[in-house]
Amino acid sequence: MLKSQAFFNPLDGDAMQGLHLIADLYHCDCDPAVLLDRNVLETRCVNFCKEAGLTPLGAYFYQFTHDDGEKAGVTGTVVLAESHVAIHTWPETNAVTLDVYVCNFSRDNSDRARAVYQHLIDLLQPGEMIEKDVMRGELPTSV
């Protein structure tokens, strides 16, 4: 039988429920180093995850460069025991795409995901943004 529920209950056997926070950020008014420097962005992302009570397992951030060697942008992921944070910067347009996804298998991590997400929004200071909150792994209600 198919069912839908607001939060995962491990005793019910529905193992995939999670929260995916997605944002496209425009006109970011942050310190340019946040958009340009891999080390700066990686450190902030990992620290925000730890401060929120999530468990970073590893991180990979890539530094893009222009032909002349100047820093050009960053793409990175923090892999969490609870899932991941992914971020991509376009300093030439002050834009960022952001994904924070957590599963809620052994506990509800939604508030932790929202804390990381909000710290990153506060850091990046977008002038405009498009946001989506997606509940993942919910089965459709049977007819």
Side-chain angles (χ1 to χ4, degrees), residues 24-30 94 121 124-130:
D24 296 339
L25 311 175
Y26 303 95
H27 312 293
C28 294
D29 193 28
C30 59
N94 293 329
I121 298 299
L124 296 163
Q125 303 175 38
E128 295 180 56
M129 59 189 208
I130 299 170

Side-chain angles (χ1 to χ4, degrees), residues 33-56:
V34 174
L35 302 179
L36 283 168
D37 191 305
R38 177 188 69 80
N39 293 323
V40 170
L41 188 58
E42 180 177 355
T43 298
R44 299 303 290 269
C45 287
V46 170
N47 287 343
F48 289 153
C49 290
K50 288 178 181 177
E51 291 167 9
L54 296 171
T55 313

Side-chain angles (χ1 to χ4, degrees):
M1 172 194 260
L2 298 177
K3 62 182 176 177
S4 179
Q5 55 193 61
F7 291 102
F8 170 72
N9 179 348
L11 301 176
D12 285 346
D14 297 328
M16 277 190 6
Q17 199 278 330
L19 175 64
H20 197 165
L21 306 172
I22 304 165
D24 296 339
L25 311 175
Y26 303 95
H27 312 293
C28 294
D29 193 28
C30 59
D31 178 343
V34 174
L35 302 179
L36 283 168
D37 191 305
R38 177 188 69 80
N39 293 323
V40 170
L41 188 58
E42 180 177 355
T43 298
R44 299 303 290 269
C45 287
V46 170
N47 287 343
F48 289 153
C49 290
K50 288 178 181 177
E51 291 167 9
L54 296 171
T55 313
L57 300 175
Y60 184 79
F61 281 66
Y62 181 80
Q63 179 71 66
F64 290 99
T65 57
H66 294 287
D67 291 340
D68 64 4
E70 291 294 315
K71 293 177 181 177
V74 179
T75 188
T77 303
V78 180
V79 176
L80 304 168
E82 302 82 4
S83 199
H84 70 270
V85 172
I87 190 165
H88 313 280
T89 72
W90 286 267
E92 60 277 6
T93 59
N94 293 329
V96 174
T97 60
L98 173 64
D99 290 50
V100 179
Y101 176 51
V102 294
C103 66
N104 292 322
F105 181 73
S106 60
R107 68 178 181 192
D108 183 359
N109 289 300
S110 300
D111 288 343
R112 291 171 184 85
R114 291 184 196 288
V116 171
Y117 180 85
Q118 192 58 55
H119 282 305
L120 286 165
I121 298 299
D122 292 346
L123 174 69
L124 296 163
Q125 303 175 38
E128 295 180 56
M129 59 189 208
I130 299 170
E131 303 176 274
K132 294 179 187 172
D133 295 8
V134 179
M135 293 306 295
R136 304 286 304 269
E138 289 190 335
L139 295 171
T141 305
S142 61
V143 182

